[in-house]
């Protein structure tokens, strides 16, 4: 990673952390932030489960076991945010319904990608990123960066919450999520080391760090252009719309 990328990473992460912290501190915007996290965390579960099945089918039991734990952790993270929303007397998102809605809105795949994911996975089509197709190296390195950053972002977010009893229990939940994300980053890095060795792993990590910086810039640019909502800050969900893939599989069956 070059020096400029390093600087931009620090500046970009700092700016995002500031915006997220202030929107989670503000009781008016807090429910939206929690709902966004619930979607992202729960949304990654079918993707990870499909990868677990693929690892099993390819005879990599070591990785399959870890992907299985990863999927169940993300399910739990979604539940923690759903519980947080319930405590604020906000309606919890019906995830299945949201997915159905997305299925009928008829927009092309590329348009549905958030500016963040479009920039992060620049050069890859939706098809390349499906769990049955994605290059393992791409999955491992891209997810490693997101998990590593999420582990730090969630600590900042937890600490931005006020100290009333309801917020304190949410804070505890979010700190436990941060711990899980650290664990995810570490098994992903271990898998890269096993498969590629230290030098190639470092090179890949640098490449995806640069992509993350570019994706943060694209997010900020989009924010300025639309003059609106920053949306989801901790990006850790599935890069593809699993509801569509599953619906296509069902049609094919
Ligand atoms: Fe998570
Ligand atoms: Fe995670």
């Amino acid at each position: 990673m070059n020096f400029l990328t390093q600087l931009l990473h620090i500046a970009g992460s700092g700016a995002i952390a500031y915006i997220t912290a202030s929107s989670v501190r503000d009781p008016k915007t807090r429910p939206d932030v929690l709902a966004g996290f619930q979607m992202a965390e729960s949304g990654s579960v079918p993707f990870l489960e499909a990868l677990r099945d693929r690892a099993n089918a390819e005879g990599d039991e070591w990785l399959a076991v870890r992907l299985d734990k990863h999927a169940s952790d993300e399910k739990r993270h979604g539940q923690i945010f759903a519980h947080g929303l319930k405590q604020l007397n906000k309606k919890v998102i019906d995830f299945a319904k949201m997915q159905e809605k997305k299925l009928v809105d008829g927009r092309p795949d590329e348009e549905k990608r958030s500016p963040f994911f479009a920039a992060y996975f620049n050069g890859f089509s939706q098809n390349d990123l499906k769990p049955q197709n994605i290059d393992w190296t791409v999955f491992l390195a891209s997810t490693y960066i997101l998990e590593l950053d999420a582990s730090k972002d969630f600590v900042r977010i937890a600490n931005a919450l006020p100290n009333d009893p309801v917020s304190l229990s949410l804070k505890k939940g979010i700190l436990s999520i941060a711990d899980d994300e650290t664990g995810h980053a570490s098994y992903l890095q271990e898998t890269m080391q096993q498969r590629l060795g230290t030098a190639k792993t470092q090179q890949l990590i640098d490449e995806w760090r640069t992509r993350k910086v570019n994706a943060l810039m694209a997010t900020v640019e989009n924010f300025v252009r639309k003059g609106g909502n920053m949306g989801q800050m901790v990006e850790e969900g599935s890069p593809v719309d699993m509801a569509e893939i599953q619906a296509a599989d069902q049609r094919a069956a």
Side-chain angles (χ1 to χ4, degrees):
M1 188 180 357
N2 65 37
F3 185 58
L4 181 64
T5 309
Q6 176 69 31
L7 279 182
L8 286 172
H9 166 55
I10 294 165
S13 311
I16 300 287
Y18 175 79
I19 297 168
T20 313
S22 55
S23 51
V24 88
R25 200 177 292 122
D26 183 346
K28 282 199 294 288
T29 46
R30 192 179 310 148
D32 284 345
V33 179
L34 299 184
F37 287 143
Q38 193 210 332
M39 291 285 298
E41 302 286 314
S42 308
S44 65
V45 174
F47 180 75
L48 293 165
E49 287 174 343
L51 281 173
R52 169 204 61 200
D53 295 344
R54 182 177 150 199
N56 258 328
E58 292 175 7
D60 193 338
E61 205 190 309
W62 189 91
L63 183 56
V65 167
R66 278 151 188 86
L67 285 164
D68 189 59
K69 163 129 191 352
H70 191 165
S72 61
D73 286 347
E74 300 303 351
K75 201 178 279 174
R76 193 180 73 89
H77 300 172
Q79 286 160 354
I80 288 173
F81 289 114
H83 182 72
L85 277 168
K86 221 183 258 167
Q87 299 254 281
L88 296 175
N89 295 318
K90 295 287 169 194
K91 219 177 144 226
V92 174
I93 297 166
D94 185 337
F95 196 63
K97 266 210 183 109
M98 286 286 299
Q99 287 187 315
E100 270 169 38
K101 252 198 191 152
K102 266 192 179 162
L103 277 180
V104 294
D105 77 357
R107 275 183 300 143
D109 280 355
E110 300 302 321
E111 262 181 49
K112 279 184 200 165
R113 295 170 101 178
S114 73
F116 177 88
F117 277 115
Y120 194 53
F121 291 104
N122 184 27
F124 296 95
S125 70
Q126 288 283 82
N127 206 39
D128 296 334
L129 299 172
K130 285 180 184 172
Q132 63 268 36
N133 302 334
I134 193 168
D135 182 289
W136 279 113
T137 307
V138 169
F139 164 71
L140 294 167
S142 63
T143 313
Y144 166 75
I145 292 288
L146 299 181
E147 297 283 346
L148 183 70
D149 291 358
S151 70
K152 293 170 188 153
D153 292 344
F154 278 134
V155 172
R156 291 196 189 104
I157 289 162
N159 290 332
L161 284 165
N163 283 324
D164 58 276
V166 167
S167 303
L168 275 176
S169 101
L170 180 61
K171 185 183 285 204
K172 253 172 74 189
I174 297 179
L175 286 174
S176 81
I177 293 178
D179 267 349
D180 285 348
E181 312 302 15
T182 307
H184 300 159
S186 113
Y187 93 83
L188 291 162
Q189 189 179 28
E190 198 181 338
T191 313
M192 283 191 280
Q193 297 270 14
Q194 280 174 13
R195 292 188 171 201
L196 308 160
T198 306
K200 183 84 178 72
T201 298
Q202 195 50 52
Q203 190 190 322
L204 260 177
I205 290 175
D206 285 354
E207 180 197 331
W208 285 91
R209 172 57 67 208
T210 304
R211 281 177 173 271
K212 172 86 194 279
V213 168
N214 293 339
L216 286 180
M217 306 279 260
T219 308
V220 172
E221 199 183 295
N222 183 66
F223 172 69
V224 173
R225 189 154 31 90
K226 289 191 171 161
N229 206 305
M230 201 65 188
Q232 186 55 39
M233 284 305 111
V234 177
E235 296 278 359
E236 205 221 338
S238 156
V240 285
D241 192 336
M242 285 301 292
E244 290 214 329
I245 293 169
Q246 283 162 344
D249 286 350
Q250 268 163 18
R251 279 196 298 273

